[in-house]
Amino acid sequence: MPKKLPYGQSNFANLIKSGYAYIDKTRYIELLENENNTYQFFIRPRRFGKSLFISILENYYGLGELRIENGELRIDSSRTTALFKDLYIGKNPTPEKNKYAVMNFDFSGLNTDSHEEFVKSFSNRVQECVRLFLERYQNAFSNSAALLNSLDEKNPGVGALDLAYAAAFNASVPIFAIIDEYDHFANNLIAMGKTYKDEVKAGGIVRTFYENLKIGTDSVVRRIFITGINPMMLNDLTSGFNMATDYSLFPKYNDMFGFTREEVEWLMQETGVDKTLIEVDMEAYYNGYMFNEEAKNKVYNSQMILFLFNQILRQGKQPSQIIDTNLQTDYERLRRLAENEDNREKLMQITLNGGIFGNIVEKFSLEKLESEEYFISLLFYMGMLTNGGMQRGRTWLKIPNYSIRTLYWEYIVSYVQNLEKTRVSTSELSNVIDEMAYDGSIKPYLDFFTENFLKRLSNRYLANFNEKYIKVMMLSSLFISRLYLPVSEDENINGYTDIYLQKHPAVKDIKFEYVFEIKYAKTDAVEAEVKAKFEEAGAQIERYKKDPRFAGREDVKFAALVFKGKGEYESRE
């Protein structure tokens, strides 16, 4: 009997009890416990399983079931033992199992409509988390009822931490403080301007919270585990909280979040996902993340994989939607980050080249975001770039996979539209791509592309304009249609194609695929130069035709495209 697919599951106890498959990450509990610094910080992109791991820590380290026998507190660890018995940590328990009162804070979903609303929302969230803490461990804290009444009467907000510390101190119970989504609200506060500085850096409510957390480490707070998307806010807190060690880039923790290839294979077997139904290249679409060049494995974005498997199990076929729609949230973050010209240029460069050389900065602040290395580092932490290894003594940071590449393409489309404050008609674009797919005619598309994409570019691009610009613009435009999976630099035995328009696996009636070889000539190029470009492109196409994937297929059309300047083109099939 296949186990349930853990799509959307972040409650570890429910996951185990309800028969969901779980990829065992509990060996990392042992590693973390053995670290010298018990105040620990981890950065990973969204949808990598951070919340589930936090739930694992809660269930493992929490005091367990508490009861009073003969006037004494008894801790029943049988529930914890049952949850973990088949996992690594259940077979190799650590000394600190069931030793802590766990105080959990989740800062997602706070109200950032205004400065005042944020302060109120943050304050209420902290107080509510302390309330849940006191209620959960009321059998351990003899004065919990009085403390809960004090919360209602005084409404202390962030000051509620003092009540939690007092309760744990009097009961001689150490606290494990866990903070999920520590920076979830940061982007919205930054957009509000002065609010971010007021509340994070200058004695505001966020700074006060972390100062109080630091004070707790002098008495009862023995362990801290913090997760988020980037390290910027932690650095901006400076002395408010400067004691945690960031383990995000340590090679041994590369696989702690996300799935390795072997784990994905195991998950398919456990949940009954039929591999023969998967027509999309999972490696190209969802894999590719490395958070240290010395790491042994690339990892998949776990949510992307679960999204695909969930659709296959529900529909019994390759789904039409193979890129998680939740990526739109990442696109909005990308768009906001590129509001200045320098960052826009960097995004264009990354899109053109598939990556960029740069060094990962482990700590940086808001004021430095416009600096190249800090902006690139932020893209890395967001999962928009990943470690691509060393080249000539420099770190190459590359776009990790096809799914993330589409975010860059979407940005390019938006960028081109904003140049003239006129939207490209996506319905017209879809129509001309339909003509390619079903009628075998590429001219309507090329006319539309030249008029609506290339001609909109500012003339300042012409100085360095080349085939890469055209290719990226074309890929961006083709992505809008859901008929094709446009692939750039598709490797085959005879070289790399500029663009391969692969049929979407869920659309079965498409008649034609395309391979484009793109060349560029300057506006004043003479006929002989254009002829030479076509000859070069034709020779490359002849090599592509020998690829086993294309040999003997009449549904694949090959086209040499030569563009002159921004406004002219010639094509030969």
Side-chain angles (χ1 to χ4, degrees):
M1 180 71 179
K3 289 189 175 181
K4 299 176 184 178
L5 184 76
Y7 181 65
Q9 294 294 319
S10 59
N11 184 309
F12 176 73
N14 180 67
L15 184 149
I16 297 297
K17 290 178 180 179
S18 301
Y20 287 91
Y22 169 65
I23 292 175
D24 190 356
K25 300 286 187 179
T26 61
R27 67 189 181 278
Y28 292 105
I29 293 177
E30 183 180 63
L31 292 177
L32 292 168
E33 193 168 308
N34 289 333
E35 294 289 355
N36 290 330
N37 193 345
T38 58
Y39 309 133
Q40 298 165 347
F41 184 66
F42 274 88
I43 289 297
R44 281 297 182 271
R46 293 178 63 246
R47 299 177 305 278
F48 262 77
K50 298 189 295 293
S51 295
L52 176 58
F53 190 79
I54 278 176
S55 181
I56 292 168
L57 295 178
E58 285 186 273
N59 281 277
Y60 182 77
Y61 282 110
L63 290 176
E65 301 296 327
L66 303 175
R67 61 178 184 275
I68 304 296
E69 291 183 1
N70 300 321
E72 294 185 2
L73 177 67
R74 302 292 184 187
I75 298 175
D76 183 358
S77 62
S78 59
R79 175 180 177 274
T80 303
T81 300
L83 286 175
F84 290 95
K85 63 183 176 66
D86 295 325
L87 304 175
Y88 174 89
I89 205 67
K91 298 170 184 177
N92 303 276
T94 64
E96 297 187 12
K97 172 188 173 186
N98 292 134
K99 294 297 191 220
Y100 294 91
V102 177
M103 186 161 52
N104 191 356
F105 300 91
D106 182 348
F107 290 129
S108 63
L110 296 181
N111 188 332
T112 56
D113 289 344
S114 68
H115 187 162
E116 293 73 19
E117 288 297 330
F118 170 73
V119 172
K120 179 181 177 181
S121 180
F122 189 94
S123 177
N124 289 342
R125 180 66 58 84
V126 173
Q127 181 168 316
E128 185 58 27
C129 289
V130 171
R131 174 184 295 282
L132 293 173
F133 172 79
L134 295 174
E135 290 176 347
R136 179 178 181 183
Y137 296 108
Q138 57 185 309
N139 288 340
F141 306 146
S142 58
N143 61 338
S144 59
L147 293 173
L148 287 167
N149 287 334
S150 180
L151 279 178
D152 293 332
E153 293 172 2
K154 299 180 179 179
N155 194 30
V158 171
L161 285 173
D162 295 334
L163 299 180
Y165 298 159
F169 182 81
N170 291 333
S172 299
V173 174
I175 289 176
F176 189 160
I178 297 177
I179 303 173
D180 193 13
E181 303 275 13
Y182 96 105
D183 58 341
H184 190 273
F185 51 82
N187 281 342
N188 288 343
L189 293 193
I190 290 170
M192 292 165 65
K194 192 169 177 287
T195 297
Y196 180 87
K197 292 182 180 180
D198 286 348
E199 298 306 328
V200 176
K201 300 187 65 175
I205 193 167
V206 178
R207 176 69 171 266
T208 300
F209 168 79
Y210 282 96
E211 288 174 344
N212 284 4
L213 183 64
K214 183 178 179 180
I215 290 170
T217 63
D218 293 332
S219 55
V220 290
V221 178
R222 295 287 178 263
R223 298 190 70 88
I224 298 174
F225 189 85
I226 302 175
T227 72
I229 297 175
N230 74 73
M232 179 181 68
M233 200 178 85
L234 189 69
N235 189 65
D236 281 341
L237 290 168
T238 56
S239 60
F241 190 81
N242 58 2
M243 59 203 309
T245 297
D246 184 357
Y247 291 99
S248 307
L249 305 184
F250 283 38
K252 64 181 176 181
Y253 293 115
N254 184 73
D255 307 352
M256 191 166 88
F257 302 104
F259 299 155
T260 65
R261 182 184 302 174
E262 291 74 19
E263 289 170 340
V264 169
E265 292 287 339
W266 179 87
L267 185 63
M268 284 192 285
Q269 293 175 7
E270 286 292 297
T271 59
V273 174
D274 187 349
K275 291 178 66 173
T276 64
L277 298 177
I278 302 175
E279 300 178 50
V280 66
D281 185 342
M282 293 192 299
E283 187 86 6
Y285 273 74
Y286 314 122
N287 200 1
Y289 296 92
M290 287 187 69
F291 301 98
N292 187 290
E293 64 191 41
E294 298 178 7
K296 295 180 180 179
N297 301 305
K298 295 177 182 178
V299 292
Y300 289 82
N301 180 308
S302 50
Q303 182 67 16
M304 290 181 183
I305 284 291
L306 292 171
F307 176 82
L308 175 69
F309 289 176
N310 182 58
Q311 292 188 92
I312 288 175
L313 289 172
R314 289 174 56 195
Q315 301 176 24
K317 62 179 182 179
Q318 172 74 49
S320 57
Q321 186 68 38
I322 58 178
I323 298 177
D324 190 345
T325 53
N326 285 319
L327 280 178
Q328 188 64 31
T329 305
D330 291 332
Y331 167 71
E332 290 301 324
R333 284 194 174 98
L334 181 66
R335 184 183 59 78
R336 286 199 296 267
L337 287 171
E339 290 181 348
N340 69 73
E341 189 62 31
D342 287 342
N343 287 351
R344 283 196 290 269
E345 289 289 342
K346 289 294 173 294
L347 288 182
M348 179 69 81
Q349 183 180 345
I350 291 168
T351 310
L352 288 170
N353 299 319
I356 194 170
F357 285 106
N359 295 314
I360 299 304
V361 180
E362 295 189 27
K363 288 187 177 181
F364 52 89
S365 60
L366 172 63
E367 288 80 4
K368 297 180 178 180
L369 274 187
E370 293 188 9
S371 170
E372 176 178 332
E373 63 177 345
Y374 296 102
F375 176 63
I376 292 171
S377 294
L378 188 56
L379 293 176
F380 170 84
Y381 288 113
M382 289 174 58
M384 305 294 292
L385 292 172
T386 196
N387 199 302
M390 298 293 291
Q391 296 183 19
R392 298 187 177 187
R394 304 173 68 191
T395 302
W396 176 246
L397 299 171
K398 65 177 184 178
I399 300 174
N401 52 50
Y402 185 91
S403 294
I404 298 301
R405 192 178 294 272
T406 65
L407 295 181
Y408 287 93
W409 291 343
E410 192 167 352
Y411 171 77
I412 295 298
V413 172
S414 174
Y415 175 71
V416 171
Q417 290 176 334
N418 288 333
L419 288 174
E420 292 187 358
K421 306 299 182 184
T422 305
R423 295 196 62 81
V424 173
S425 171
T426 54
S427 60
E428 289 183 45
L429 178 56
S430 294
N431 288 339
V432 295
I433 295 176
D434 285 354
E435 290 187 57
M436 290 172 56
Y438 295 103
D439 302 328
S441 176
I442 65 172
K443 187 177 185 304
Y445 164 73
L446 292 174
D447 288 344
F448 184 94
F449 169 72
T450 303
E451 189 68 29
N452 290 277
F453 284 83
L454 295 187
K455 287 186 177 181
R456 290 194 182 194
L457 287 177
S458 169
N459 286 330
R460 66 188 180 87
Y461 281 106
L462 279 178
N464 298 311
F465 202 68
N466 55 31
E467 296 159 11
K468 283 185 177 180
Y469 275 90
I470 297 171
K471 184 167 62 177
V472 166
M473 294 291 174
M474 189 171 287
L475 287 164
S476 303
S477 69
L478 291 165
F479 170 69
I480 291 176
S481 169
R482 302 305 176 185
L483 297 180
Y484 289 112
L485 301 179
V487 181
S488 175
E489 301 294 340
D490 185 50
E491 184 178 4
N492 57 68
I493 59 173
N494 295 299
Y496 294 83
T497 58
D498 277 344
I499 293 180
Y500 169 35
L501 287 186
Q502 184 180 21
K503 297 176 183 178
H504 194 296
V507 185
K508 303 300 183 183
D509 63 342
I510 296 174
K511 293 183 178 181
F512 299 102
E513 291 188 339
Y514 290 86
V515 174
F516 293 152
E517 185 62 29
I518 299 169
K519 300 298 176 185
Y520 174 73
K522 292 187 176 181
T523 306
D524 57 358
V526 297
E527 186 176 344
E529 292 179 74
V530 174
K531 181 180 179 182
K533 297 285 185 181
F534 271 118
E535 289 176 353
E536 182 183 355
Q540 289 173 288
I541 285 175
E542 289 305 313
R543 292 199 297 272
Y544 301 151
K545 288 180 178 180
K546 296 175 183 178
D547 188 284
R549 291 175 297 176
F550 304 140
R553 287 180 55 183
E554 295 183 0
D555 63 330
V556 180
K557 287 179 169 286
F558 297 84
L561 310 177
V562 176
F563 290 86
K564 288 182 62 178
K566 294 192 307 176
E568 298 180 40
Y569 76 88
E570 292 182 42
S571 67
R572 296 178 186 175
E573 295 185 47

